[in-house]
């Protein structure tokens, strides 16, 4: 394409026409050019001022928005700091409660251990007392059995002596059937026979 363009340009013939007017008004040309440049400069200045004004307004709005965002962020940070302070206070309170509960649990465990030891000791004492009571009961039962055997033997002996005494009082050769016995006993009743 560049080669074609160069070929096209080389083939183009340029026709120049010259004004042979030698009386050129350079002052008017300079004034006209100056006026055009001033107009361009004013237009450029106006456009630049308008652009700067719009940018300034845009930056002012953006700065105001950022200022509002900054104020909102500061308020949020203040509120979060208050919440953090409140939560720290609650955490300290809960920690104190946990410490108190742990102390109470340790105290209760210690008291429970002591109570358990005391209960075990009392249980051992009660078991010993029960064993001793069983032994005493067995001994007393044995003594009671022995006493009962002695009582039965004495009852049998007493019955035997009574019969012997009754037989001696009612034997023949004594006083009459209603007399007094020789050794001062009760008189024989009608039940006493001659034999």
């Amino acid at each position: 394409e560049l080669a074609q363009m160069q070929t096209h340009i080389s083939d183009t013939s340029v026709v120049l026409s010259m004004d042979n007017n030698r009386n050129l008004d350079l002052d008017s040309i300079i004034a006209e050019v100056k006026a055009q440049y001033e107009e361009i400069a004013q237009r450029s200045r106006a456009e630049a001022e308008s652009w700067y004004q719009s940018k300034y307004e845009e930056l002012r709005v953006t700065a105001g928005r950022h200022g509002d965002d900054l104020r909102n962020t500061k308020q949020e940070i203040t509120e979060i700091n208050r919440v953090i302070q409140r939560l720290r206070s609650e955490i300290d309170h809960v920690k104190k409660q946990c410490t108190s509960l742990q102390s109470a649990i340790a105290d209760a465990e210690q008291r429970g251990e002591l109570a358990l030891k005391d209960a075990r000791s009392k249980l051992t004492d009660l078991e010993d007392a029960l064993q001793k009571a069983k032994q005493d009961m067995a001994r007393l039962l044995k003594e009671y059995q022995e006493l009962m055997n002695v009582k039965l033997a004495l009852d049998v002996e007493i019955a035997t002596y009574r019969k012997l005494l009754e037989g001696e009082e009612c034997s023949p050769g004594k006083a009459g059937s209603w007399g007094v016995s020789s050794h001062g006993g009760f008189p024989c009743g009608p039940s006493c026979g001659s034999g």
Side-chain angles (χ1 to χ4, degrees), residues 24-70:
L24 295 175
D25 187 5
L26 293 177
D27 291 336
S28 63
I29 293 172
I30 291 172
E32 185 179 350
V33 171
K34 185 177 181 182
Q36 288 177 357
Y37 276 115
E38 285 181 355
E39 184 182 354
I40 292 170
Q42 286 180 358
R43 194 165 55 242
S44 297
R45 189 181 300 112
E47 289 176 357
E49 286 181 358
S50 175
W51 183 79
Y52 281 124
Q53 189 67 29
S54 65
K55 282 293 181 184
Y56 173 75
E57 189 65 25
E58 184 181 344
L59 289 173
R60 189 178 66 79
V61 172
T62 304
R65 192 166 57 247
H66 286 325
D68 293 339
D69 292 342
L70 183 61

mmCIF file of all heavy atoms in Angstrom, residues 24-70:
data_model
loop_
_atom_site.group_PDB
_atom_site.id
_atom_site.type_symbol
_atom_site.label_atom_id
_atom_site.label_comp_id
_atom_site.label_asym_id
_atom_site.label_seq_id
_atom_site.Cartn_x
_atom_site.Cartn_y
_atom_site.Cartn_z
ATOM 1 N N LEU A 24 1.341 43.430 -1.483
ATOM 2 C CA LEU A 24 0.698 42.661 -0.428
ATOM 3 C C LEU A 24 0.516 43.507 0.815
ATOM 4 O O LEU A 24 1.421 44.247 1.203
ATOM 5 C CB LEU A 24 1.550 41.434 -0.072
ATOM 6 C CG LEU A 24 1.707 40.384 -1.174
ATOM 7 C CD1 LEU A 24 2.673 39.305 -0.729
ATOM 8 C CD2 LEU A 24 0.363 39.793 -1.524
ATOM 9 N N ASP A 25 -0.695 43.366 1.423
ATOM 10 C CA ASP A 25 -0.989 44.120 2.648
ATOM 11 C C ASP A 25 -0.633 43.223 3.825
ATOM 12 O O ASP A 25 -1.463 42.473 4.345
ATOM 13 C CB ASP A 25 -2.463 44.522 2.660
ATOM 14 C CG ASP A 25 -2.761 45.449 3.827
ATOM 15 O OD1 ASP A 25 -1.795 45.821 4.539
ATOM 16 O OD2 ASP A 25 -3.948 45.742 4.056
ATOM 17 N N LEU A 26 0.626 43.271 4.243
ATOM 18 C CA LEU A 26 1.093 42.389 5.333
ATOM 19 C C LEU A 26 0.452 42.747 6.653
ATOM 20 O O LEU A 26 0.172 41.856 7.477
ATOM 21 C CB LEU A 26 2.609 42.471 5.449
ATOM 22 C CG LEU A 26 3.389 41.900 4.256
ATOM 23 C CD1 LEU A 26 4.877 42.102 4.459
ATOM 24 C CD2 LEU A 26 3.072 40.434 4.080
ATOM 25 N N ASP A 27 0.176 44.006 6.894
ATOM 26 C CA ASP A 27 -0.419 44.410 8.181
ATOM 27 C C ASP A 27 -1.805 43.804 8.342
ATOM 28 O O ASP A 27 -2.162 43.300 9.424
ATOM 29 C CB ASP A 27 -0.491 45.931 8.265
ATOM 30 C CG ASP A 27 0.910 46.557 8.389
ATOM 31 O OD1 ASP A 27 1.817 45.823 8.865
ATOM 32 O OD2 ASP A 27 1.075 47.729 8.045
ATOM 33 N N SER A 28 -2.598 43.882 7.236
ATOM 34 C CA SER A 28 -3.950 43.321 7.354
ATOM 35 C C SER A 28 -3.898 41.807 7.511
ATOM 36 O O SER A 28 -4.675 41.201 8.259
ATOM 37 C CB SER A 28 -4.791 43.720 6.141
ATOM 38 O OG SER A 28 -4.219 43.159 4.963
ATOM 39 N N ILE A 29 -2.926 41.187 6.793
ATOM 40 C CA ILE A 29 -2.796 39.732 6.913
ATOM 41 C C ILE A 29 -2.386 39.362 8.332
ATOM 42 O O ILE A 29 -2.949 38.450 8.950
ATOM 43 C CB ILE A 29 -1.780 39.204 5.894
ATOM 44 C CG1 ILE A 29 -2.324 39.375 4.473
ATOM 45 C CG2 ILE A 29 -1.459 37.739 6.161
ATOM 46 C CD1 ILE A 29 -1.321 39.055 3.393
ATOM 47 N N ILE A 30 -1.424 40.092 8.888
ATOM 48 C CA ILE A 30 -0.973 39.816 10.266
ATOM 49 C C ILE A 30 -2.109 40.056 11.258
ATOM 50 O O ILE A 30 -2.328 39.283 12.190
ATOM 51 C CB ILE A 30 0.253 40.679 10.603
ATOM 52 C CG1 ILE A 30 1.461 40.210 9.771
ATOM 53 C CG2 ILE A 30 0.571 40.609 12.080
ATOM 54 C CD1 ILE A 30 2.668 41.100 9.873
ATOM 55 N N ALA A 31 -2.875 41.145 11.033
ATOM 56 C CA ALA A 31 -4.000 41.444 11.926
ATOM 57 C C ALA A 31 -5.051 40.356 11.843
ATOM 58 O O ALA A 31 -5.635 39.938 12.851
ATOM 59 C CB ALA A 31 -4.588 42.802 11.567
ATOM 60 N N GLU A 32 -5.313 39.896 10.586
ATOM 61 C CA GLU A 32 -6.314 38.834 10.420
ATOM 62 C C GLU A 32 -5.868 37.548 11.092
ATOM 63 O O GLU A 32 -6.629 36.883 11.820
ATOM 64 C CB GLU A 32 -6.544 38.600 8.926
ATOM 65 C CG GLU A 32 -7.654 37.615 8.653
ATOM 66 C CD GLU A 32 -7.860 37.428 7.169
ATOM 67 O OE1 GLU A 32 -7.288 38.170 6.367
ATOM 68 O OE2 GLU A 32 -8.620 36.502 6.825
ATOM 69 N N VAL A 33 -4.576 37.184 10.874
ATOM 70 C CA VAL A 33 -4.041 35.979 11.516
ATOM 71 C C VAL A 33 -4.066 36.120 13.035
ATOM 72 O O VAL A 33 -4.411 35.193 13.778
ATOM 73 C CB VAL A 33 -2.619 35.685 11.007
ATOM 74 C CG1 VAL A 33 -1.961 34.577 11.822
ATOM 75 C CG2 VAL A 33 -2.651 35.328 9.533
ATOM 76 N N LYS A 34 -3.701 37.327 13.503
ATOM 77 C CA LYS A 34 -3.691 37.583 14.948
ATOM 78 C C LYS A 34 -5.103 37.458 15.523
ATOM 79 O O LYS A 34 -5.335 36.870 16.575
ATOM 80 C CB LYS A 34 -3.121 38.961 15.224
ATOM 81 C CG LYS A 34 -2.957 39.265 16.698
ATOM 82 C CD LYS A 34 -2.322 40.628 16.892
ATOM 83 C CE LYS A 34 -2.139 40.934 18.364
ATOM 84 N NZ LYS A 34 -1.579 42.266 18.599
ATOM 85 N N ALA A 35 -6.092 38.012 14.771
ATOM 86 C CA ALA A 35 -7.481 37.924 15.233
ATOM 87 C C ALA A 35 -7.933 36.469 15.281
ATOM 88 O O ALA A 35 -8.614 36.036 16.216
ATOM 89 C CB ALA A 35 -8.374 38.750 14.318
ATOM 90 N N GLN A 36 -7.524 35.707 14.230
ATOM 91 C CA GLN A 36 -7.906 34.295 14.213
ATOM 92 C C GLN A 36 -7.279 33.550 15.403
ATOM 93 O O GLN A 36 -7.930 32.748 16.084
ATOM 94 C CB GLN A 36 -7.463 33.662 12.893
ATOM 95 C CG GLN A 36 -8.290 34.100 11.698
ATOM 96 C CD GLN A 36 -7.788 33.505 10.393
ATOM 97 O OE1 GLN A 36 -6.765 32.795 10.390
ATOM 98 N NE2 GLN A 36 -8.483 33.791 9.283
ATOM 99 N N TYR A 37 -5.980 33.837 15.656
ATOM 100 C CA TYR A 37 -5.321 33.177 16.798
ATOM 101 C C TYR A 37 -5.929 33.586 18.135
ATOM 102 O O TYR A 37 -6.067 32.773 19.038
ATOM 103 C CB TYR A 37 -3.820 33.467 16.772
ATOM 104 C CG TYR A 37 -3.041 32.533 15.877
ATOM 105 C CD1 TYR A 37 -2.381 33.006 14.745
ATOM 106 C CD2 TYR A 37 -2.958 31.167 16.167
ATOM 107 C CE1 TYR A 37 -1.680 32.155 13.908
ATOM 108 C CE2 TYR A 37 -2.252 30.316 15.334
ATOM 109 C CZ TYR A 37 -1.626 30.807 14.214
ATOM 110 O OH TYR A 37 -0.929 29.954 13.395
ATOM 111 N N GLU A 38 -6.287 34.868 18.243
ATOM 112 C CA GLU A 38 -6.917 35.324 19.483
ATOM 113 C C GLU A 38 -8.273 34.654 19.679
ATOM 114 O O GLU A 38 -8.644 34.270 20.790
ATOM 115 C CB GLU A 38 -7.059 36.851 19.465
ATOM 116 C CG GLU A 38 -5.746 37.583 19.708
ATOM 117 C CD GLU A 38 -5.918 39.097 19.722
ATOM 118 O OE1 GLU A 38 -7.051 39.557 19.448
ATOM 119 O OE2 GLU A 38 -4.930 39.787 20.011
ATOM 120 N N GLU A 39 -9.015 34.554 18.556
ATOM 121 C CA GLU A 39 -10.312 33.881 18.640
ATOM 122 C C GLU A 39 -10.130 32.422 19.046
ATOM 123 O O GLU A 39 -10.844 31.896 19.910
ATOM 124 C CB GLU A 39 -11.013 33.974 17.291
ATOM 125 C CG GLU A 39 -12.412 33.370 17.316
ATOM 126 C CD GLU A 39 -13.061 33.437 15.942
ATOM 127 O OE1 GLU A 39 -12.489 34.030 15.024
ATOM 128 O OE2 GLU A 39 -14.158 32.857 15.815
ATOM 129 N N ILE A 40 -9.133 31.773 18.411
ATOM 130 C CA ILE A 40 -8.842 30.371 18.761
ATOM 131 C C ILE A 40 -8.401 30.266 20.228
ATOM 132 O O ILE A 40 -8.825 29.371 20.980
ATOM 133 C CB ILE A 40 -7.769 29.801 17.822
ATOM 134 C CG1 ILE A 40 -8.331 29.672 16.403
ATOM 135 C CG2 ILE A 40 -7.269 28.449 18.324
ATOM 136 C CD1 ILE A 40 -7.281 29.337 15.363
ATOM 137 N N ALA A 41 -7.557 31.238 20.653
ATOM 138 C CA ALA A 41 -7.077 31.224 22.043
ATOM 139 C C ALA A 41 -8.222 31.435 23.011
ATOM 140 O O ALA A 41 -8.313 30.761 24.044
ATOM 141 C CB ALA A 41 -6.004 32.284 22.226
ATOM 142 N N GLN A 42 -9.138 32.393 22.699
ATOM 143 C CA GLN A 42 -10.292 32.640 23.582
ATOM 144 C C GLN A 42 -11.193 31.408 23.637
ATOM 145 O O GLN A 42 -11.681 31.024 24.705
ATOM 146 C CB GLN A 42 -11.071 33.865 23.095
ATOM 147 C CG GLN A 42 -10.373 35.197 23.386
ATOM 148 C CD GLN A 42 -11.176 36.380 22.885
ATOM 149 O OE1 GLN A 42 -12.232 36.211 22.281
ATOM 150 N NE2 GLN A 42 -10.661 37.577 23.136
ATOM 151 N N ARG A 43 -11.428 30.827 22.442
ATOM 152 C CA ARG A 43 -12.271 29.640 22.420
ATOM 153 C C ARG A 43 -11.622 28.501 23.217
ATOM 154 O O ARG A 43 -12.275 27.805 23.996
ATOM 155 C CB ARG A 43 -12.496 29.228 20.953
ATOM 156 C CG ARG A 43 -13.620 28.220 20.812
ATOM 157 C CD ARG A 43 -14.095 28.074 19.366
ATOM 158 N NE ARG A 43 -13.006 27.742 18.457
ATOM 159 C CZ ARG A 43 -12.624 28.530 17.455
ATOM 160 N NH1 ARG A 43 -13.227 29.697 17.246
ATOM 161 N NH2 ARG A 43 -11.626 28.170 16.664
ATOM 162 N N SER A 44 -10.289 28.372 23.024
ATOM 163 C CA SER A 44 -9.567 27.336 23.770
ATOM 164 C C SER A 44 -9.597 27.623 25.264
ATOM 165 O O SER A 44 -9.768 26.721 26.097
ATOM 166 C CB SER A 44 -8.118 27.242 23.291
ATOM 167 O OG SER A 44 -8.068 26.855 21.944
ATOM 168 N N ARG A 45 -9.429 28.930 25.617
ATOM 169 C CA ARG A 45 -9.469 29.309 27.027
ATOM 170 C C ARG A 45 -10.852 29.029 27.619
ATOM 171 O O ARG A 45 -10.992 28.502 28.733
ATOM 172 C CB ARG A 45 -9.110 30.775 27.182
ATOM 173 C CG ARG A 45 -8.922 31.186 28.649
ATOM 174 C CD ARG A 45 -8.593 32.671 28.801
ATOM 175 N NE ARG A 45 -7.363 33.022 28.101
ATOM 176 C CZ ARG A 45 -7.305 33.802 27.024
ATOM 177 N NH1 ARG A 45 -8.415 34.316 26.517
ATOM 178 N NH2 ARG A 45 -6.143 34.080 26.456
ATOM 179 N N ALA A 46 -11.898 29.375 26.860
ATOM 180 C CA ALA A 46 -13.260 29.142 27.348
ATOM 181 C C ALA A 46 -13.515 27.637 27.518
ATOM 182 O O ALA A 46 -14.107 27.195 28.503
ATOM 183 C CB ALA A 46 -14.282 29.765 26.377
ATOM 184 N N GLU A 47 -13.059 26.867 26.493
ATOM 185 C CA GLU A 47 -13.240 25.423 26.596
ATOM 186 C C GLU A 47 -12.462 24.854 27.781
ATOM 187 O O GLU A 47 -12.956 23.997 28.517
ATOM 188 C CB GLU A 47 -12.777 24.760 25.298
ATOM 189 C CG GLU A 47 -13.702 25.010 24.117
ATOM 190 C CD GLU A 47 -13.161 24.406 22.827
ATOM 191 O OE1 GLU A 47 -12.030 23.850 22.885
ATOM 192 O OE2 GLU A 47 -13.844 24.484 21.801
ATOM 193 N N ALA A 48 -11.223 25.362 27.982
ATOM 194 C CA ALA A 48 -10.413 24.888 29.106
ATOM 195 C C ALA A 48 -11.062 25.251 30.441
ATOM 196 O O ALA A 48 -11.128 24.438 31.367
ATOM 197 C CB ALA A 48 -9.003 25.466 29.019
ATOM 198 N N GLU A 49 -11.571 26.530 30.516
ATOM 199 C CA GLU A 49 -12.234 26.939 31.757
ATOM 200 C C GLU A 49 -13.482 26.113 32.005
ATOM 201 O O GLU A 49 -13.771 25.702 33.132
ATOM 202 C CB GLU A 49 -12.578 28.432 31.690
ATOM 203 C CG GLU A 49 -11.366 29.351 31.862
ATOM 204 C CD GLU A 49 -11.754 30.813 31.809
ATOM 205 O OE1 GLU A 49 -12.963 31.093 31.607
ATOM 206 O OE2 GLU A 49 -10.867 31.667 31.990
ATOM 207 N N SER A 50 -14.259 25.864 30.925
ATOM 208 C CA SER A 50 -15.459 25.045 31.074
ATOM 209 C C SER A 50 -15.094 23.631 31.520
ATOM 210 O O SER A 50 -15.714 23.051 32.412
ATOM 211 C CB SER A 50 -16.217 25.011 29.741
ATOM 212 O OG SER A 50 -17.314 24.140 29.841
ATOM 213 N N TRP A 51 -14.005 23.097 30.888
ATOM 214 C CA TRP A 51 -13.582 21.747 31.256
ATOM 215 C C TRP A 51 -13.098 21.695 32.707
ATOM 216 O O TRP A 51 -13.466 20.806 33.460
ATOM 217 C CB TRP A 51 -12.462 21.317 30.312
ATOM 218 C CG TRP A 51 -12.003 19.908 30.557
ATOM 219 C CD1 TRP A 51 -12.598 18.769 30.154
ATOM 220 C CD2 TRP A 51 -10.836 19.520 31.287
ATOM 221 N NE1 TRP A 51 -11.895 17.688 30.555
ATOM 222 C CE2 TRP A 51 -10.789 18.116 31.267
ATOM 223 C CE3 TRP A 51 -9.824 20.237 31.930
ATOM 224 C CZ2 TRP A 51 -9.783 17.396 31.873
ATOM 225 C CZ3 TRP A 51 -8.821 19.519 32.536
ATOM 226 C CH2 TRP A 51 -8.798 18.111 32.517
ATOM 227 N N TYR A 52 -12.275 22.729 33.067
ATOM 228 C CA TYR A 52 -11.796 22.792 34.454
ATOM 229 C C TYR A 52 -12.952 22.980 35.424
ATOM 230 O O TYR A 52 -12.960 22.405 36.520
ATOM 231 C CB TYR A 52 -10.767 23.912 34.627
ATOM 232 C CG TYR A 52 -9.392 23.547 34.142
ATOM 233 C CD1 TYR A 52 -8.730 24.324 33.190
ATOM 234 C CD2 TYR A 52 -8.726 22.424 34.641
ATOM 235 C CE1 TYR A 52 -7.464 23.986 32.736
ATOM 236 C CE2 TYR A 52 -7.458 22.086 34.191
ATOM 237 C CZ TYR A 52 -6.842 22.873 33.228
ATOM 238 O OH TYR A 52 -5.603 22.524 32.795
ATOM 239 N N GLN A 53 -13.939 23.795 35.042
ATOM 240 C CA GLN A 53 -15.085 24.025 35.926
ATOM 241 C C GLN A 53 -15.879 22.733 36.124
ATOM 242 O O GLN A 53 -16.276 22.399 37.236
ATOM 243 C CB GLN A 53 -15.987 25.133 35.332
ATOM 244 C CG GLN A 53 -17.093 25.593 36.272
ATOM 245 C CD GLN A 53 -16.535 26.299 37.487
ATOM 246 O OE1 GLN A 53 -15.479 26.911 37.451
ATOM 247 N NE2 GLN A 53 -17.259 26.204 38.601
ATOM 248 N N SER A 54 -16.105 22.030 34.993
ATOM 249 C CA SER A 54 -16.848 20.770 35.110
ATOM 250 C C SER A 54 -16.057 19.749 35.941
ATOM 251 O O SER A 54 -16.621 19.036 36.772
ATOM 252 C CB SER A 54 -17.163 20.206 33.723
ATOM 253 O OG SER A 54 -15.957 19.857 33.054
ATOM 254 N N LYS A 55 -14.731 19.698 35.707
ATOM 255 C CA LYS A 55 -13.903 18.780 36.501
ATOM 256 C C LYS A 55 -13.912 19.170 37.970
ATOM 257 O O LYS A 55 -13.986 18.326 38.861
ATOM 258 C CB LYS A 55 -12.462 18.773 35.972
ATOM 259 C CG LYS A 55 -12.279 17.963 34.718
ATOM 260 C CD LYS A 55 -12.508 16.500 35.017
ATOM 261 C CE LYS A 55 -12.313 15.652 33.774
ATOM 262 N NZ LYS A 55 -12.618 14.236 34.036
ATOM 263 N N TYR A 56 -13.823 20.498 38.227
ATOM 264 C CA TYR A 56 -13.848 20.970 39.609
ATOM 265 C C TYR A 56 -15.168 20.603 40.277
ATOM 266 O O TYR A 56 -15.192 20.144 41.418
ATOM 267 C CB TYR A 56 -13.638 22.478 39.643
ATOM 268 C CG TYR A 56 -13.824 23.085 41.012
ATOM 269 C CD1 TYR A 56 -12.854 22.933 42.002
ATOM 270 C CD2 TYR A 56 -14.988 23.787 41.327
ATOM 271 C CE1 TYR A 56 -13.030 23.471 43.253
ATOM 272 C CE2 TYR A 56 -15.182 24.328 42.576
ATOM 273 C CZ TYR A 56 -14.196 24.165 43.542
ATOM 274 O OH TYR A 56 -14.387 24.698 44.790
ATOM 275 N N GLU A 57 -16.280 20.808 39.548
ATOM 276 C CA GLU A 57 -17.597 20.472 40.103
ATOM 277 C C GLU A 57 -17.692 18.966 40.354
ATOM 278 O O GLU A 57 -18.195 18.525 41.392
ATOM 279 C CB GLU A 57 -18.690 20.919 39.123
ATOM 280 C CG GLU A 57 -20.089 20.828 39.679
ATOM 281 C CD GLU A 57 -20.317 21.776 40.840
ATOM 282 O OE1 GLU A 57 -19.616 22.807 40.944
ATOM 283 O OE2 GLU A 57 -21.194 21.477 41.673
ATOM 284 N N GLU A 58 -17.172 18.201 39.373
ATOM 285 C CA GLU A 58 -17.194 16.747 39.538
ATOM 286 C C GLU A 58 -16.361 16.314 40.732
ATOM 287 O O GLU A 58 -16.788 15.480 41.551
ATOM 288 C CB GLU A 58 -16.664 16.102 38.254
ATOM 289 C CG GLU A 58 -16.720 14.585 38.264
ATOM 290 C CD GLU A 58 -16.168 13.998 36.981
ATOM 291 O OE1 GLU A 58 -16.033 14.738 35.976
ATOM 292 O OE2 GLU A 58 -15.868 12.781 36.984
ATOM 293 N N LEU A 59 -15.172 16.929 40.859
ATOM 294 C CA LEU A 59 -14.320 16.600 42.008
ATOM 295 C C LEU A 59 -14.954 17.059 43.312
ATOM 296 O O LEU A 59 -14.831 16.382 44.348
ATOM 297 C CB LEU A 59 -12.943 17.237 41.841
ATOM 298 C CG LEU A 59 -12.052 16.621 40.766
ATOM 299 C CD1 LEU A 59 -10.787 17.452 40.590
ATOM 300 C CD2 LEU A 59 -11.692 15.191 41.120
ATOM 301 N N ARG A 60 -15.652 18.232 43.262
ATOM 302 C CA ARG A 60 -16.314 18.713 44.487
ATOM 303 C C ARG A 60 -17.428 17.759 44.913
ATOM 304 O O ARG A 60 -17.576 17.424 46.093
ATOM 305 C CB ARG A 60 -16.875 20.108 44.242
ATOM 306 C CG ARG A 60 -17.401 20.802 45.507
ATOM 307 C CD ARG A 60 -17.897 22.203 45.190
ATOM 308 N NE ARG A 60 -19.056 22.163 44.323
ATOM 309 C CZ ARG A 60 -20.303 21.894 44.752
ATOM 310 N NH1 ARG A 60 -20.513 21.624 46.017
ATOM 311 N NH2 ARG A 60 -21.311 21.897 43.912
ATOM 312 N N VAL A 61 -18.217 17.294 43.919
ATOM 313 C CA VAL A 61 -19.280 16.330 44.234
ATOM 314 C C VAL A 61 -18.680 15.029 44.759
ATOM 315 O O VAL A 61 -19.146 14.446 45.750
ATOM 316 C CB VAL A 61 -20.147 16.076 42.974
ATOM 317 C CG1 VAL A 61 -21.124 14.926 43.219
ATOM 318 C CG2 VAL A 61 -20.898 17.340 42.588
ATOM 319 N N THR A 62 -17.594 14.583 44.068
ATOM 320 C CA THR A 62 -16.942 13.346 44.525
ATOM 321 C C THR A 62 -16.376 13.516 45.931
ATOM 322 O O THR A 62 -16.495 12.618 46.783
ATOM 323 C CB THR A 62 -15.813 12.966 43.553
ATOM 324 O OG1 THR A 62 -16.345 12.862 42.234
ATOM 325 C CG2 THR A 62 -15.173 11.643 43.942
ATOM 326 N N ALA A 63 -15.759 14.687 46.179
ATOM 327 C CA ALA A 63 -15.207 14.944 47.515
ATOM 328 C C ALA A 63 -16.322 14.987 48.554
ATOM 329 O O ALA A 63 -16.175 14.463 49.671
ATOM 330 C CB ALA A 63 -14.428 16.257 47.513
ATOM 331 N N GLY A 64 -17.464 15.600 48.180
ATOM 332 C CA GLY A 64 -18.594 15.622 49.129
ATOM 333 C C GLY A 64 -19.105 14.225 49.407
ATOM 334 O O GLY A 64 -19.397 13.868 50.567
ATOM 335 N N ARG A 65 -19.205 13.414 48.328
ATOM 336 C CA ARG A 65 -19.649 12.036 48.518
ATOM 337 C C ARG A 65 -18.672 11.260 49.384
ATOM 338 O O ARG A 65 -19.057 10.515 50.293
ATOM 339 C CB ARG A 65 -19.819 11.370 47.153
ATOM 340 C CG ARG A 65 -20.541 10.034 47.215
ATOM 341 C CD ARG A 65 -20.986 9.554 45.855
ATOM 342 N NE ARG A 65 -19.863 9.444 44.918
ATOM 343 C CZ ARG A 65 -19.709 10.200 43.847
ATOM 344 N NH1 ARG A 65 -20.581 11.160 43.576
ATOM 345 N NH2 ARG A 65 -18.666 10.022 43.037
ATOM 346 N N HIS A 66 -17.376 11.449 49.089
ATOM 347 C CA HIS A 66 -16.365 10.775 49.914
ATOM 348 C C HIS A 66 -16.404 11.290 51.355
ATOM 349 O O HIS A 66 -16.176 10.516 52.297
ATOM 350 C CB HIS A 66 -14.977 10.998 49.324
ATOM 351 C CG HIS A 66 -14.725 10.202 48.078
ATOM 352 N ND1 HIS A 66 -15.226 8.947 47.878
ATOM 353 C CD2 HIS A 66 -14.020 10.500 46.940
ATOM 354 C CE1 HIS A 66 -14.851 8.481 46.707
ATOM 355 N NE2 HIS A 66 -14.122 9.422 46.094
ATOM 356 N N GLY A 67 -16.694 12.588 51.527
ATOM 357 C CA GLY A 67 -16.808 13.131 52.888
ATOM 358 C C GLY A 67 -17.969 12.505 53.629
ATOM 359 O O GLY A 67 -17.837 12.128 54.811
ATOM 360 N N ASP A 68 -19.117 12.340 52.925
ATOM 361 C CA ASP A 68 -20.259 11.663 53.552
ATOM 362 C C ASP A 68 -19.913 10.220 53.884
ATOM 363 O O ASP A 68 -20.234 9.722 54.978
ATOM 364 C CB ASP A 68 -21.470 11.701 52.615
ATOM 365 C CG ASP A 68 -22.000 13.118 52.430
ATOM 366 O OD1 ASP A 68 -21.719 13.967 53.301
ATOM 367 O OD2 ASP A 68 -22.688 13.364 51.416
ATOM 368 N N ASP A 69 -19.245 9.555 52.915
ATOM 369 C CA ASP A 69 -18.832 8.170 53.183
ATOM 370 C C ASP A 69 -17.878 8.105 54.366
ATOM 371 O O ASP A 69 -17.956 7.190 55.197
ATOM 372 C CB ASP A 69 -18.150 7.576 51.945
ATOM 373 C CG ASP A 69 -19.129 7.381 50.791
ATOM 374 O OD1 ASP A 69 -20.349 7.367 51.056
ATOM 375 O OD2 ASP A 69 -18.673 7.271 49.629
ATOM 376 N N LEU A 70 -16.971 9.092 54.448
ATOM 377 C CA LEU A 70 -16.017 9.116 55.557
ATOM 378 C C LEU A 70 -16.732 9.319 56.893
ATOM 379 O O LEU A 70 -16.427 8.645 57.880
ATOM 380 C CB LEU A 70 -14.985 10.223 55.324
ATOM 381 C CG LEU A 70 -13.868 10.345 56.366
ATOM 382 C CD1 LEU A 70 -13.037 9.065 56.419
ATOM 383 C CD2 LEU A 70 -12.984 11.539 56.064
#
